[in-house]
Amino acid sequence: MNVMNAAVLVSDPVLIFFIVLVIILLSPLLLNKLRIPHIIGMIVAGIVVGPYGIGLLERDASFAIFGQVGILYLMFLAGIEIDMYHLKKNLKKGLCFGMYTFLVPMVLGTVSSYYLLNLDWLTSVLLASMYASHTLIAYPVVSRFGLTKSPAVIITIAGTIVTVLGALIVLAICVGIYSDGSFNVGEVLKLMLRLVLYCIVVVYTFPRLTRWFFKKYSDNVSQFVYVLAMVFLASFSAQMIGLESVLGAFFAGLVLNRYIPNMSPLMNRIEFVGNAIFIPYFLIGVGMLINVGVVVKSWDTVYVAAVMTVMATLVKWIAAWLTQRTYKMNGAERSMIFGLSNAQAAATLAAVMIGFNIGMFGEEVLNGTIVMILVTCTISSIITERAASRLKLMQLEGHSEESGTAGRSSNTLISVSNPITAASLVELALLTRSPYSKANNLYAIHVRNDNSAGSRAIGRNSLDVAQQAAASVDAKLIPIERYDLNVVTGLVNTIEERDISDVIIGMHRKATVIDSFFGSKIEQLLSATHRMVVITRCFIPVSTITRIVVSVPEKAQFETGFRRWVMSLGNLTRQLGCRIIFCCHPDVQPYIRGVLHKERYDIRAEYRDVEDWDDFVLLANRILDDDLFVVVNARRASLSFNSGMDELPGFLQKYFSRNNLVVLYPEQFGSDVATAASSIDPLVSDVTATPSGLWLQVLSYYRRLIQLRKRFTQRKRVKKIDL
């Protein structure tokens, strides 16, 4: 069978898609055994089955479309997975690397092209701009190792934007000079002006539109389609003003980054679709462009290809080495920067095609570029995978040595009572849990005290919704359907049986006028267990929260569970990428800073001095609709308890009834916990039970009198908490 017949046999779209899926499936399975990155397998498979191989497939419109979508998807993932706090923190280093990886290739590439390839100066500059640009083709390797927040990765991504933009400007200048015979400064200034206006429009419109859409439509499919639509809108808009579409996709990722947490169903769907379909299609399409036969076509082609490949690799290594020396980085970080920035693909291919079509490049340069793409992509994949494994090992070793809670178990229990709130409770639990805990089990429980068919159906449905929410982010959730005397008894027994550390429960809705704000069930639960209890009520999706404001009582640092709740809020802030503001006594602030520093929570944390516990009422006009207000409360027998906390339910009901709210009771040990009264209602306890209980009640009222006197003497003092 000849090549033409083979191509005819696989012209059917169904069979073409089947062959591509087989390549995507088998490449990782076969090459993993040989310790070869599967990215190389995709490219090699494209060479073999493409028109320059056995001719099994033709690079038709489907590969052109899916390939273009794949490179845009790749840049979008790089922008959406980056941590904005770390980006701002390493922006100076990224800009420095961007200058290195642009200027070094431009200087050395121009000189080598002029003297070694005998090109004129203008053509040499254009060829050097191809060396300067690069494609993050090995980024899926970094994502698979969970190193997207590594400083070396962030520096490389920031530098990529600088060098691609610089290469684009050089390309426009060279083409203009070649076509018009002179350098047109006005065109370059117009391009920069269009770039500035484009950034302003996207930054202003995309976040507002996204927040509105996510609040109004919570369906995962609708949100996924919306995100893709915004990405391609940004890419097309960038292309319309004369920029590369990949810059638009990356910028869209940075803008939408804030609204798509890493541990969310939407992020899981975005990564899955890209890594399973679009990005492999792009890699296979790159392989189809490579004609290995051009290497042996003539010695001139071999020479040009060798010079281009060596220079493209050498200049990127020098740029990575200079960055390492400038900021005293280790060898693994230098290898990561070099590996990610060495691959030449999309931007390089576009530049060489433009130069070839207008007559600046000959066929030798075109063929040499194809060989350079193959070699640099191979080197990039191998170096990046080796560097990623080293960095991941160093990261795990460093965390296990410095973190005091790395090996501590963290079992979370979510109480689900109905299917409506089950998914949101699971999402909050996933966002607050630590990924470094030795045992990090997630449980969902529905407790019923009757065996009716309706009660069983509600319980089963609630647990199914909870399981689906956890499965959407590849998390394992263990459902528990329990029959017990009441909800509190079932929860307490499960806490002891499963060694639960955190309990997450939805906030009670008042059924009658005489009903308390939290409800009797939560009050009884707080009296019966010393574990951390989180009571939550959110009116908007967690991903659309802009700030977290935390009210912390005095002496909170002396509680047993202080470290755990600080870490939970640190995890939540890191996942959401928002700002967290701690309103607390000055004596508490150093301890919060210490926990965040030791556990390596590089988050935007701010602190406000609050002298009195009841000052959080002054925050009522400062808490916005998109904020999450967290109140760290205390049980009556705890060290941080004060009599002013008895008024907490009334304050929350009066001043924060429309705010997103979390009331957190830290873990607390002590022999009085099981019999102590709740901080919600002083009359819950039996004051005639024991002398110790009566003494505790008298002490509580004494504290209350002191607090009232203090408020009366400070009534005329004007307070203001600026958030």
Side-chain angles (χ1 to χ4, degrees), residues 412-417 443-448 480 482-506 520-526 528-531 533-535:
T412 303
L413 179 66
I414 308 168
S415 177
V416 293
S417 58
Y443 300 92
I445 184 173
H446 179 84
V447 182
R448 54 185 173 82
I480 303 174
R482 190 180 188 111
Y483 175 83
D484 218 314
L485 295 176
N486 52 59
V487 175
V488 176
T489 304
L491 288 175
V492 172
N493 291 336
T494 305
I495 290 172
E496 297 300 327
E497 293 169 359
R498 306 280 181 161
D499 191 23
I500 300 299
S501 58
D502 315 324
V503 180
I504 297 179
I505 189 169
S520 59
K521 293 179 181 179
I522 293 180
E523 295 174 356
Q524 296 170 14
L525 177 64
L526 293 172
T529 179
H530 62 269
R531 301 297 186 182
V533 178
V534 179
I535 310 167

Side-chain angles (χ1 to χ4, degrees), residues 283-326:
L283 297 174
I284 295 173
V286 170
M288 288 184 169
L289 293 172
I290 299 175
N291 185 0
V292 182
V294 301
V295 180
V296 296
K297 185 176 181 180
S298 66
W299 285 109
D300 291 339
T301 303
V302 175
Y303 175 73
V304 172
V307 172
M308 293 180 63
T309 302
V310 171
M311 287 305 303
T313 304
L314 179 62
V315 293
K316 291 299 181 181
W317 186 90
I318 293 175
W321 179 79
L322 289 175
T323 306
Q324 177 199 11
R325 300 291 295 179
T326 302

